[in-house]
Amino acid sequence: AGIGKCVALDMARRNARTILACRSPERGQAAVQEIRAATGNPNVELQLLDTSSLASVRRFAQAVLRQEKRLDVLVNNAGVTGLPFAITQEGLEQTFTTNYLGPFLLTNLLLG
C-alpha cells in the first residue's frame, strides 16, 4: 500500500521486472494482481519479507540472489511507527529492527 505500491506500479509501467517484498501474502498477492492488470506487465511477482525478522531478510536475499541475474534498483520502503515496545524473536527491539536493521542487512546482502 502507499508509497511502496506506487513505486512498484511505476516500475512495472516501465516494463521492469518488479518484485514486491511484502509481509502479508494476501495483501501482497492482491497488489501484484492489481499492478499486473493496470500495467499489462506479467513480470510482477511477490516474495514474502518481514524486515522485523533478520531470518526473513536472509531468506528473501538468498531467494533473490538465487533467482535473479541482476538487481538494478532496490527501494527500502518498509517502516512502522507508533508500535508499543516489543522484542523480536531474535531479541531485538521491533521498531528499530523493522525500520533500520532489517533494511540495512537486506541492502548489504544484495550488494554482491
XYZ file of all heavy atoms in Angstrom:
846
model
N 0.849 -1.186 0.000
C 0.000 0.000 0.000
C 0.888 1.239 0.000
O 2.086 1.153 0.220
C -0.901 -0.007 1.238
N 0.326 2.353 -0.249
C 1.029 3.622 -0.119
C 2.160 3.810 -1.106
O 2.069 3.439 -2.275
N 3.250 4.394 -0.616
C 4.388 4.745 -1.462
C 4.984 3.519 -2.135
O 5.318 3.546 -3.321
C 5.457 5.487 -0.635
C 4.923 6.843 -0.200
C 6.747 5.652 -1.435
C 5.808 7.565 0.798
N 5.133 2.420 -1.401
C 5.712 1.209 -1.979
C 4.922 0.700 -3.164
O 5.492 0.325 -4.198
N 3.620 0.697 -3.042
C 2.769 0.236 -4.137
C 2.873 1.188 -5.324
O 2.924 0.743 -6.478
C 1.327 0.119 -3.661
C 0.408 -0.502 -4.677
C -0.968 -0.687 -4.053
C -1.982 -1.169 -5.015
N -3.311 -1.238 -4.391
N 2.918 2.482 -5.067
C 3.060 3.467 -6.146
C 4.387 3.293 -6.884
O 4.431 3.373 -8.112
C 2.946 4.883 -5.596
S 1.274 5.325 -5.112
N 5.453 3.056 -6.149
C 6.760 2.840 -6.768
C 6.736 1.566 -7.613
O 7.219 1.542 -8.754
C 7.881 2.779 -5.709
C 9.193 2.318 -6.314
C 8.052 4.133 -5.042
N 6.174 0.499 -7.070
C 6.090 -0.760 -7.812
C 5.262 -0.589 -9.078
O 5.618 -1.108 -10.145
C 5.502 -1.854 -6.922
N 4.174 0.136 -8.987
C 3.325 0.398 -10.149
C 4.098 1.166 -11.215
O 4.053 0.826 -12.403
C 2.080 1.176 -9.707
C 1.047 1.498 -10.769
C 0.452 0.237 -11.375
C -0.062 2.359 -10.162
N 4.847 2.171 -10.800
C 5.642 2.949 -11.754
C 6.721 2.085 -12.411
O 6.929 2.165 -13.621
C 6.273 4.160 -11.062
C 7.003 5.042 -12.048
O 6.345 5.591 -12.965
O 8.234 5.170 -11.930
N 7.385 1.257 -11.627
C 8.425 0.383 -12.196
C 7.810 -0.596 -13.202
O 8.365 -0.825 -14.267
C 9.145 -0.372 -11.083
C 9.853 0.516 -10.091
S 11.145 1.473 -10.845
C 12.516 0.441 -10.452
N 6.673 -1.167 -12.850
C 6.006 -2.112 -13.746
C 5.540 -1.416 -15.023
O 5.608 -2.000 -16.111
C 4.833 -2.774 -13.034
N 5.088 -0.171 -14.907
C 4.691 0.596 -16.108
C 5.878 0.797 -17.038
O 5.705 0.949 -18.242
C 4.125 1.951 -15.700
C 2.703 1.895 -15.276
C 2.086 3.290 -15.222
N 0.699 3.159 -14.838
C 0.157 3.733 -13.772
N 0.883 4.510 -12.992
N -1.104 3.549 -13.494
N 7.065 0.829 -16.483
C 8.288 0.987 -17.288
C 8.776 -0.356 -17.819
O 9.888 -0.471 -18.317
C 9.373 1.652 -16.447
C 9.029 3.059 -16.019
C 10.005 3.558 -14.958
N 9.575 4.800 -14.392
C 10.110 5.992 -14.705
N 11.086 6.059 -15.574
N 9.666 7.071 -14.124
N 7.938 -1.376 -17.657
C 8.201 -2.740 -18.118
C 9.345 -3.408 -17.359
O 9.999 -4.317 -17.875
C 8.439 -2.781 -19.635
C 8.105 -4.124 -20.207
O 7.173 -4.786 -19.751
N 8.854 -4.550 -21.197
N 9.600 -2.977 -16.161
C 10.647 -3.590 -15.334
C 10.121 -4.857 -14.671
O 8.948 -4.935 -14.306
C 11.104 -2.607 -14.263
N 10.991 -5.817 -14.538
C 10.667 -6.970 -13.692
C 10.600 -6.412 -12.274
O 11.546 -5.780 -11.792
C 11.754 -8.029 -13.812
C 11.545 -9.196 -12.880
C 12.394 -10.380 -13.305
N 12.442 -11.404 -12.308
C 11.427 -12.180 -11.961
N 10.249 -12.030 -12.547
N 11.560 -13.099 -11.035
N 9.485 -6.634 -11.603
C 9.231 -5.982 -10.326
C 8.890 -7.022 -9.279
O 7.982 -7.827 -9.473
C 8.078 -4.968 -10.471
O 8.385 -4.064 -11.537
C 7.856 -4.198 -9.190
N 9.635 -7.016 -8.180
C 9.387 -7.937 -7.081
C 8.829 -7.135 -5.912
O 9.484 -6.217 -5.422
C 10.687 -8.642 -6.640
C 11.301 -9.404 -7.807
C 10.412 -9.577 -5.457
C 12.717 -9.904 -7.539
N 7.622 -7.481 -5.487
C 7.031 -6.864 -4.307
C 7.437 -7.702 -3.107
O 7.192 -8.905 -3.071
C 5.511 -6.817 -4.415
C 4.916 -5.682 -5.246
C 5.248 -5.842 -6.707
C 3.432 -5.625 -5.038
N 8.078 -7.077 -2.168
C 8.504 -7.748 -0.935
C 7.510 -7.358 0.149
O 7.514 -6.221 0.608
C 9.915 -7.320 -0.568
N 6.662 -8.295 0.544
C 5.555 -7.984 1.454
C 5.504 -8.962 2.614
O 5.868 -10.121 2.470
C 4.230 -8.045 0.703
S 4.140 -6.967 -0.733
N 5.009 -8.486 3.741
C 4.789 -9.344 4.912
C 3.557 -10.208 4.731
O 3.540 -11.370 5.114
C 4.567 -8.479 6.149
C 5.720 -8.307 7.030
C 5.314 -7.590 8.290
N 4.252 -6.621 8.040
C 4.148 -5.454 8.611
N 5.013 -5.086 9.497
N 3.174 -4.637 8.330
N 2.498 -9.636 4.199
C 1.211 -10.318 4.094
C 1.051 -10.958 2.721
O 0.995 -10.253 1.710
C 0.074 -9.320 4.313
O -1.157 -9.874 3.902
N 0.920 -12.289 2.678
C 0.720 -12.941 1.377
C -0.573 -12.479 0.691
O -0.587 -12.270 -0.519
C 0.648 -14.429 1.704
C 1.033 -14.586 3.122
C 1.012 -13.250 3.770
N -1.627 -12.286 1.460
C -2.912 -11.889 0.878
C -2.852 -10.474 0.284
O -3.242 -10.258 -0.864
C -4.033 -11.966 1.931
C -4.303 -13.360 2.468
C -3.311 -13.812 3.539
O -2.615 -12.965 4.126
O -3.232 -15.035 3.761
N -2.363 -9.541 1.073
C -2.278 -8.162 0.580
C -1.257 -8.041 -0.547
O -1.467 -7.303 -1.515
C -1.919 -7.215 1.724
C -3.068 -7.055 2.714
C -2.731 -6.145 3.871
N -2.380 -4.815 3.383
C -1.628 -3.946 4.053
N -1.180 -4.240 5.241
N -1.348 -2.768 3.550
N -0.165 -8.763 -0.419
C 0.857 -8.735 -1.463
C 0.356 -9.286 -2.778
O 0.580 -8.693 -3.841
N -0.346 -10.418 -2.734
C -0.854 -11.011 -3.967
C -1.921 -10.125 -4.596
O -1.983 -10.003 -5.816
C -1.401 -12.415 -3.701
C -1.592 -13.231 -4.972
C -0.315 -13.357 -5.801
O 0.766 -13.665 -5.293
N -0.417 -13.095 -7.082
N -2.736 -9.482 -3.766
C -3.736 -8.545 -4.294
C -3.044 -7.385 -5.014
O -3.487 -6.960 -6.098
C -4.631 -8.037 -3.169
N -1.963 -6.883 -4.441
C -1.213 -5.783 -5.076
C -0.583 -6.246 -6.385
O -0.596 -5.513 -7.378
C -0.149 -5.257 -4.121
N -0.036 -7.455 -6.403
C 0.554 -7.998 -7.633
C -0.503 -8.049 -8.735
O -0.262 -7.599 -9.867
C 1.160 -9.396 -7.386
C 1.453 -10.111 -8.702
C 2.426 -9.296 -6.554
N -1.664 -8.600 -8.425
C -2.730 -8.715 -9.426
C -3.173 -7.332 -9.920
O -3.386 -7.131 -11.124
C -3.920 -9.496 -8.855
C -3.611 -10.934 -8.517
C -3.067 -11.726 -9.701
O -3.433 -11.508 -10.842
N -2.153 -12.640 -9.419
N -3.306 -6.399 -8.997
C -3.719 -5.047 -9.369
C -2.688 -4.379 -10.279
O -3.036 -3.749 -11.283
C -3.927 -4.218 -8.102
C -4.457 -2.829 -8.363
C -4.655 -2.034 -7.089
O -4.927 -2.638 -6.026
O -4.543 -0.801 -7.158
N -1.417 -4.525 -9.943
C -0.355 -3.910 -10.746
C -0.257 -4.571 -12.111
O -0.109 -3.887 -13.133
C 0.982 -3.956 -9.981
C 0.905 -3.017 -8.775
C 2.149 -3.594 -10.894
C 2.048 -3.174 -7.788
N -0.357 -5.887 -12.171
C -0.345 -6.576 -13.470
C -1.493 -6.099 -14.342
O -1.320 -5.841 -15.537
C -0.449 -8.086 -13.263
C 0.818 -8.738 -12.790
C 0.594 -10.228 -12.593
N 1.781 -10.901 -12.085
C 1.777 -12.121 -11.581
N 0.647 -12.821 -11.515
N 2.899 -12.661 -11.146
N -2.682 -6.002 -13.763
C -3.851 -5.570 -14.526
C -3.715 -4.120 -15.005
O -4.086 -3.798 -16.137
C -5.114 -5.723 -13.677
N -3.182 -3.262 -14.170
C -3.062 -1.838 -14.510
C -1.981 -1.572 -15.548
O -2.084 -0.616 -16.316
C -2.783 -1.022 -13.252
N -0.948 -2.423 -15.572
C 0.194 -2.152 -16.444
C 0.306 -3.096 -17.630
O 1.032 -2.799 -18.577
C 1.507 -2.246 -15.647
O 1.686 -3.598 -15.188
C 1.512 -1.280 -14.476
N -0.331 -4.243 -17.551
C -0.151 -5.255 -18.591
C 1.190 -5.949 -18.502
O 1.565 -6.727 -19.383
N 1.921 -5.702 -17.431
C 3.238 -6.310 -17.233
C 3.067 -7.601 -16.430
O 2.752 -7.547 -15.239
C 4.157 -5.332 -16.493
C 5.564 -5.858 -16.290
O 5.831 -7.044 -16.454
N 6.474 -4.971 -15.923
N 3.289 -8.761 -17.065
C 3.137 -10.026 -16.326
C 4.332 -10.335 -15.430
O 4.305 -11.277 -14.651
C 3.029 -11.061 -17.451
C 3.857 -10.474 -18.558
C 3.661 -8.976 -18.458
N 5.372 -9.522 -15.535
C 6.626 -9.783 -14.843
C 6.672 -9.083 -13.477
O 7.665 -8.457 -13.117
C 7.791 -9.332 -15.722
C 8.941 -10.287 -15.678
O 8.909 -11.298 -14.985
N 9.978 -9.959 -16.414
N 5.569 -9.186 -12.748
C 5.447 -8.636 -11.392
C 5.189 -9.816 -10.481
O 4.296 -10.614 -10.737
C 4.287 -7.618 -11.301
C 4.148 -7.084 -9.881
C 4.502 -6.478 -12.287
N 5.995 -9.947 -9.437
C 5.826 -11.101 -8.553
C 5.926 -10.712 -7.090
O 6.394 -9.621 -6.759
C 6.840 -12.187 -8.887
C 8.254 -11.877 -8.447
C 9.161 -13.100 -8.578
O 9.360 -13.553 -9.701
O 9.643 -13.561 -7.530
N 5.512 -11.624 -6.264
C 5.521 -11.432 -4.815
C 6.566 -12.337 -4.180
O 6.678 -13.512 -4.527
C 4.139 -11.781 -4.242
C 4.023 -11.828 -2.721
C 4.234 -10.447 -2.113
C 2.666 -12.398 -2.319
N 7.328 -11.773 -3.255
C 8.223 -12.529 -2.384
C 7.905 -12.076 -0.962
O 7.758 -10.880 -0.715
C 9.690 -12.238 -2.693
C 10.170 -12.741 -4.024
C 10.464 -14.223 -3.990
O 10.677 -14.826 -2.947
N 10.471 -14.824 -5.171
N 7.794 -13.002 -0.054
C 7.490 -12.645 1.326
C 8.736 -12.134 2.038
O 9.821 -12.702 1.899
C 6.890 -13.833 2.063
C 5.563 -14.319 1.508
C 5.046 -15.497 2.319
C 4.536 -13.204 1.463
N 8.555 -11.056 2.797
C 9.643 -10.441 3.541
C 9.077 -9.704 4.740
O 8.148 -8.911 4.609
C 10.419 -9.452 2.663
C 11.456 -8.589 3.364
C 12.573 -9.437 3.966
C 12.022 -7.548 2.417
N 9.649 -9.970 5.886
C 9.316 -9.247 7.118
C 10.627 -8.672 7.641
O 11.466 -9.401 8.164
C 8.693 -10.188 8.133
C 8.334 -9.507 9.444
O 8.652 -8.318 9.610
O 7.752 -10.192 10.308
N 10.819 -7.362 7.481
C 12.095 -6.763 7.878
C 12.297 -6.725 9.385
O 13.393 -6.404 9.845
C 12.272 -5.345 7.295
O 11.205 -4.507 7.731
C 12.340 -5.375 5.786
N 11.277 -7.089 10.159
C 11.478 -7.180 11.608
C 12.129 -8.504 11.997
O 12.502 -8.703 13.152
C 10.150 -7.016 12.362
O 9.349 -8.173 12.230
N 12.290 -9.397 11.033
C 12.925 -10.693 11.260
C 14.176 -10.805 10.395
O 14.082 -10.851 9.166
C 11.951 -11.824 10.901
O 12.633 -13.046 10.759
N 15.330 -10.858 11.035
C 16.567 -10.965 10.256
C 16.640 -12.295 9.522
O 17.229 -12.369 8.440
C 17.778 -10.757 11.165
C 17.835 -9.386 11.875
C 19.137 -9.242 12.647
C 17.633 -8.238 10.908
N 15.999 -13.326 10.056
C 15.936 -14.613 9.355
C 15.128 -14.469 8.062
O 15.506 -15.013 7.019
C 15.329 -15.683 10.257
N 14.031 -13.728 8.123
C 13.223 -13.482 6.931
C 14.017 -12.677 5.901
O 13.962 -12.962 4.698
C 11.944 -12.736 7.300
O 11.200 -12.395 6.149
N 14.760 -11.693 6.362
C 15.599 -10.885 5.470
C 16.624 -11.774 4.768
O 16.815 -11.684 3.556
C 16.300 -9.752 6.243
C 17.341 -9.057 5.383
C 15.271 -8.753 6.764
N 17.252 -12.662 5.519
C 18.252 -13.564 4.924
C 17.617 -14.508 3.903
O 18.173 -14.733 2.827
C 18.971 -14.351 6.009
C 19.890 -13.491 6.862
C 20.588 -14.321 7.958
N 21.235 -13.477 8.922
C 22.382 -12.817 8.728
N 22.990 -12.909 7.575
N 22.893 -12.057 9.676
N 16.443 -15.062 4.221
C 15.743 -15.945 3.276
C 15.390 -15.206 1.991
O 15.583 -15.715 0.883
C 14.473 -16.519 3.902
C 14.694 -17.697 4.801
C 13.400 -18.391 5.181
N 12.433 -17.502 5.805
C 12.385 -17.232 7.110
N 13.259 -17.797 7.939
N 11.473 -16.413 7.599
N 14.865 -14.004 2.148
C 14.496 -13.200 0.984
C 15.715 -12.911 0.117
O 15.680 -13.086 -1.107
C 13.836 -11.893 1.435
C 13.511 -10.962 0.310
C 12.327 -11.088 -0.390
C 14.390 -9.950 -0.049
C 12.023 -10.229 -1.435
C 14.100 -9.089 -1.087
C 12.910 -9.226 -1.784
N 16.794 -12.456 0.725
C 18.007 -12.124 -0.030
C 18.549 -13.355 -0.750
O 18.939 -13.266 -1.922
C 19.063 -11.528 0.896
N 18.574 -14.493 -0.085
C 19.045 -15.724 -0.730
C 18.186 -16.073 -1.937
O 18.707 -16.452 -2.992
C 19.056 -16.885 0.265
C 20.151 -16.783 1.291
C 20.023 -17.831 2.397
O 19.034 -18.550 2.481
N 21.028 -17.899 3.249
N 16.878 -15.947 -1.809
C 15.971 -16.256 -2.920
C 16.211 -15.312 -4.098
O 16.277 -15.747 -5.250
C 14.520 -16.179 -2.462
N 16.346 -14.023 -3.814
C 16.573 -13.050 -4.888
C 17.903 -13.326 -5.571
O 17.988 -13.355 -6.802
C 16.505 -11.604 -4.353
C 17.017 -10.609 -5.383
C 15.077 -11.258 -3.944
N 18.948 -13.565 -4.807
C 20.259 -13.824 -5.394
C 20.267 -15.118 -6.210
O 20.959 -15.214 -7.225
C 21.330 -13.874 -4.303
C 21.617 -12.532 -3.627
C 22.538 -12.736 -2.429
C 22.208 -11.532 -4.617
N 19.489 -16.084 -5.779
C 19.413 -17.365 -6.499
C 18.591 -17.224 -7.785
O 18.942 -17.802 -8.812
C 18.798 -18.421 -5.578
C 18.768 -19.826 -6.125
C 18.248 -20.856 -5.130
N 16.935 -20.523 -4.595
C 16.686 -20.130 -3.342
N 17.673 -20.048 -2.462
N 15.469 -19.845 -2.949
N 17.518 -16.441 -7.754
C 16.576 -16.380 -8.871
C 16.888 -15.295 -9.903
O 16.492 -15.425 -11.055
C 15.157 -16.143 -8.343
C 14.636 -17.271 -7.512
C 13.345 -16.909 -6.779
O 12.798 -15.823 -6.938
N 12.870 -17.814 -5.958
N 17.538 -14.244 -9.493
C 17.720 -13.093 -10.378
C 19.145 -13.003 -10.893
O 20.088 -13.220 -10.148
C 17.355 -11.796 -9.646
C 15.961 -11.789 -9.052
C 14.866 -11.983 -10.080
O 14.989 -11.468 -11.215
O 13.878 -12.666 -9.748
N 19.283 -12.656 -12.161
C 20.613 -12.465 -12.744
C 21.254 -11.178 -12.254
O 22.461 -11.089 -12.113
C 20.520 -12.432 -14.271
C 20.104 -13.742 -14.878
C 19.978 -13.632 -16.372
C 19.424 -14.933 -16.926
N 19.133 -14.830 -18.349
N 20.405 -10.169 -12.021
C 20.909 -8.887 -11.532
C 19.778 -8.132 -10.860
O 18.611 -8.405 -11.074
C 21.527 -8.067 -12.653
C 20.523 -7.620 -13.688
C 21.194 -6.988 -14.853
N 20.529 -5.739 -15.186
C 20.688 -5.131 -16.327
N 21.511 -5.606 -17.215
N 20.054 -4.014 -16.568
N 20.163 -7.157 -10.071
C 19.215 -6.293 -9.381
C 19.652 -4.860 -9.660
O 20.752 -4.456 -9.283
C 19.236 -6.588 -7.873
C 18.307 -5.785 -6.999
C 16.846 -6.095 -7.339
C 18.576 -6.074 -5.534
N 18.798 -4.111 -10.340
C 19.157 -2.751 -10.731
C 18.709 -1.702 -9.719
O 19.380 -0.696 -9.541
C 18.547 -2.413 -12.096
C 19.154 -3.257 -13.206
O 20.390 -3.360 -13.269
O 18.385 -3.825 -13.999
N 17.575 -1.914 -9.081
C 17.022 -0.929 -8.161
C 16.484 -1.646 -6.927
O 15.794 -2.657 -7.056
C 15.868 -0.127 -8.821
C 15.243 0.841 -7.834
C 16.350 0.598 -10.063
N 16.809 -1.128 -5.767
C 16.252 -1.618 -4.511
C 15.620 -0.431 -3.801
O 16.285 0.576 -3.569
C 17.352 -2.228 -3.629
C 16.934 -2.625 -2.213
C 15.914 -3.765 -2.252
C 18.155 -3.030 -1.402
N 14.347 -0.552 -3.476
C 13.647 0.504 -2.752
C 13.327 -0.034 -1.370
O 12.493 -0.920 -1.223
C 12.349 0.931 -3.482
C 11.616 1.996 -2.685
C 12.664 1.413 -4.888
N 14.017 0.469 -0.363
C 13.744 0.090 1.024
C 12.656 1.016 1.540
O 12.917 2.155 1.902
C 15.009 0.231 1.883
C 15.936 -0.937 1.725
O 15.505 -2.076 1.654
N 17.218 -0.669 1.668
N 11.432 0.504 1.577
C 10.293 1.340 1.920
C 9.552 0.872 3.168
O 8.653 1.542 3.625
C 9.337 1.379 0.714
C 8.188 2.311 0.928
O 8.381 3.493 1.171
N 6.984 1.779 0.866
N 9.914 -0.268 3.703
C 9.197 -0.795 4.874
C 9.448 0.097 6.084
O 10.543 0.622 6.262
C 9.654 -2.215 5.175
N 8.441 0.245 6.890
C 8.620 1.016 8.100
C 7.381 1.005 8.963
O 6.272 0.833 8.467
N 7.600 1.168 10.247
C 6.494 1.233 11.206
C 6.756 2.379 12.164
O 7.885 2.810 12.357
C 6.333 -0.094 11.990
C 5.929 -1.231 11.079
C 7.598 -0.442 12.751
N 5.692 2.835 12.783
C 5.812 3.869 13.793
C 4.667 3.710 14.786
O 3.620 3.177 14.447
C 5.796 5.279 13.173
O 6.040 6.242 14.195
C 4.491 5.593 12.494
N 4.895 4.142 15.997
C 3.844 4.140 16.997
C 3.502 2.791 17.598
O 2.501 2.664 18.286
N 4.310 1.790 17.332
C 4.046 0.480 17.918
C 4.448 0.478 19.390
O 5.395 1.164 19.773
C 4.844 -0.614 17.199
C 4.524 -0.875 15.737
C 5.438 -1.966 15.191
C 3.071 -1.254 15.553
N 3.776 -0.308 20.195
C 4.236 -0.445 21.580
C 5.588 -1.156 21.597
O 5.923 -1.895 20.668
C 3.156 -1.296 22.244
C 2.426 -1.956 21.134
C 2.585 -1.100 19.913
N 6.351 -0.927 22.636
C 7.657 -1.564 22.764
C 7.497 -3.081 22.681
O 6.652 -3.668 23.357
C 8.311 -1.182 24.091
C 9.664 -1.802 24.284
C 10.782 -1.219 23.713
C 9.809 -2.969 25.006
C 12.033 -1.794 23.880
C 11.058 -3.550 25.178
C 12.167 -2.958 24.612
N 8.296 -3.704 21.833
C 8.256 -5.161 21.689
C 9.635 -5.656 21.279
O 10.399 -4.938 20.627
C 7.223 -5.569 20.646
N 9.932 -6.869 21.669
C 11.202 -7.516 21.329
C 10.918 -8.620 20.310
O 9.973 -9.399 20.475
C 11.872 -8.118 22.588
C 12.153 -7.018 23.620
C 13.133 -8.884 22.247
C 13.165 -5.992 23.173
N 11.720 -8.685 19.266
C 11.553 -9.728 18.256
C 12.046 -11.067 18.797
O 12.684 -11.126 19.850
C 12.356 -9.402 16.984
O 13.750 -9.466 17.280
C 12.003 -8.025 16.438
N 11.770 -12.136 18.069
C 12.251 -13.463 18.465
C 13.772 -13.513 18.521
O 14.341 -14.351 19.204
C 11.729 -14.528 17.506
C 10.245 -14.759 17.624
C 9.757 -15.858 16.690
O 10.475 -16.309 15.806
N 8.533 -16.288 16.899
N 14.415 -12.602 17.807
C 15.881 -12.560 17.789
C 16.449 -11.679 18.904
O 17.658 -11.471 18.980
C 16.352 -12.089 16.415
C 15.975 -13.091 15.328
C 15.843 -12.490 13.943
O 15.263 -11.394 13.805
O 16.314 -13.129 12.997
N 15.562 -11.149 19.758
C 16.000 -10.362 20.901
C 16.282 -8.900 20.596
O 16.970 -8.229 21.361
N 15.727 -8.387 19.516
C 15.955 -7.004 19.112
C 14.669 -6.200 19.245
O 13.570 -6.750 19.136
C 16.444 -6.971 17.664
C 17.710 -7.786 17.393
C 17.914 -7.978 15.895
C 18.908 -7.115 18.024
N 14.803 -4.895 19.459
C 13.616 -4.045 19.555
C 12.950 -3.990 18.176
O 13.590 -3.752 17.164
C 14.018 -2.646 20.035
C 12.849 -1.828 20.545
C 12.054 -1.172 19.437
O 12.660 -0.700 18.459
O 10.824 -1.138 19.543
N 11.642 -4.215 18.147
C 10.918 -4.428 16.895
C 10.944 -3.237 15.939
O 11.204 -3.401 14.745
C 9.466 -4.804 17.196
C 8.681 -5.120 15.944
C 7.284 -5.604 16.259
O 6.831 -5.558 17.392
N 6.600 -6.074 15.253
N 10.663 -2.037 16.422
C 10.617 -0.877 15.532
C 11.989 -0.602 14.936
O 12.116 -0.362 13.726
C 10.092 0.367 16.279
O 8.777 0.080 16.766
C 10.040 1.581 15.378
N 13.028 -0.643 15.746
C 14.388 -0.403 15.269
C 14.797 -1.468 14.245
O 15.398 -1.157 13.218
C 15.359 -0.391 16.453
C 16.782 -0.089 16.075
C 17.129 1.133 15.517
C 17.785 -1.023 16.289
C 18.449 1.418 15.176
C 19.100 -0.742 15.953
C 19.435 0.478 15.392
N 14.424 -2.703 14.487
C 14.760 -3.787 13.560
C 14.018 -3.608 12.241
O 14.607 -3.722 11.165
C 14.443 -5.154 14.177
O 15.139 -5.265 15.423
C 14.862 -6.293 13.272
N 12.715 -3.320 12.320
C 11.900 -3.158 11.115
C 12.379 -1.986 10.260
O 12.480 -2.103 9.037
C 10.424 -2.929 11.490
O 9.973 -4.040 12.262
C 9.548 -2.768 10.267
N 12.667 -0.876 10.900
C 12.976 0.350 10.165
C 14.439 0.496 9.764
O 14.728 1.171 8.771
C 12.574 1.567 10.994
C 11.085 1.664 11.189
O 10.305 0.976 10.549
N 10.672 2.514 12.107
N 15.359 -0.110 10.523
C 16.779 0.128 10.271
C 17.592 -1.149 10.067
O 18.243 -1.306 9.042
C 17.395 0.956 11.414
C 16.738 2.291 11.541
C 15.798 2.527 12.532
C 17.028 3.324 10.651
C 15.160 3.762 12.639
C 16.397 4.555 10.745
C 15.470 4.761 11.742
O 14.840 5.969 11.834
N 17.577 -2.024 11.046
C 18.438 -3.202 10.947
C 18.063 -4.106 9.787
O 18.945 -4.563 9.044
C 18.416 -3.995 12.260
C 18.941 -3.272 13.496
C 18.841 -4.177 14.714
C 20.366 -2.788 13.285
N 16.773 -4.386 9.604
C 16.341 -5.249 8.507
C 16.707 -4.688 7.140
O 17.339 -5.383 6.325
N 16.345 -3.438 6.842
C 16.731 -2.874 5.554
C 18.254 -2.756 5.358
O 18.759 -2.974 4.261
C 16.074 -1.486 5.558
C 14.902 -1.651 6.470
C 15.366 -2.600 7.543
N 18.971 -2.436 6.429
C 20.435 -2.354 6.337
C 21.018 -3.723 5.979
O 21.863 -3.842 5.074
C 21.011 -1.855 7.656
C 22.519 -1.754 7.660
C 23.142 -0.639 7.129
C 23.289 -2.769 8.190
C 24.536 -0.544 7.128
C 24.679 -2.688 8.195
C 25.301 -1.564 7.658
N 20.562 -4.766 6.657
C 21.031 -6.117 6.353
C 20.659 -6.511 4.942
O 21.501 -7.048 4.200
C 20.457 -7.118 7.368
C 20.822 -8.594 7.127
C 22.329 -8.812 7.191
C 20.085 -9.479 8.118
N 19.436 -6.249 4.535
C 18.998 -6.602 3.180
C 19.862 -5.944 2.125
O 20.344 -6.599 1.201
C 17.533 -6.199 2.985
C 16.953 -6.466 1.598
C 16.984 -7.952 1.273
C 15.547 -5.919 1.506
N 20.094 -4.662 2.272
C 20.934 -3.931 1.308
C 22.315 -4.555 1.227
O 22.842 -4.800 0.138
C 21.027 -2.451 1.685
O 19.712 -1.892 1.695
C 21.907 -1.678 0.729
N 22.905 -4.820 2.368
C 24.258 -5.396 2.384
C 24.307 -6.802 1.802
O 25.268 -7.148 1.116
C 24.845 -5.349 3.786
C 25.375 -3.974 4.087
O 26.481 -3.634 3.704
N 24.584 -3.147 4.736
N 23.289 -7.601 2.038
C 23.260 -8.952 1.478
C 23.096 -8.940 -0.036
O 23.586 -9.836 -0.713
C 22.130 -9.771 2.115
C 22.319 -10.145 3.584
C 21.043 -10.783 4.129
C 23.509 -11.064 3.760
N 22.419 -7.924 -0.565
C 22.170 -7.863 -2.004
C 23.247 -7.111 -2.781
O 23.253 -7.143 -4.013
C 20.810 -7.214 -2.265
C 19.595 -8.002 -1.789
C 18.322 -7.199 -2.013
C 19.512 -9.356 -2.472
N 24.167 -6.474 -2.103
C 25.193 -5.682 -2.789
C 26.092 -6.515 -3.696
O 26.518 -6.044 -4.737
C 26.054 -4.930 -1.771
C 25.457 -3.639 -1.254
C 26.346 -3.049 -0.166
C 25.236 -2.639 -2.361
N 26.399 -7.723 -3.303
C 27.321 -8.548 -4.093
C 26.803 -8.859 -5.469
O 27.511 -9.048 -6.410
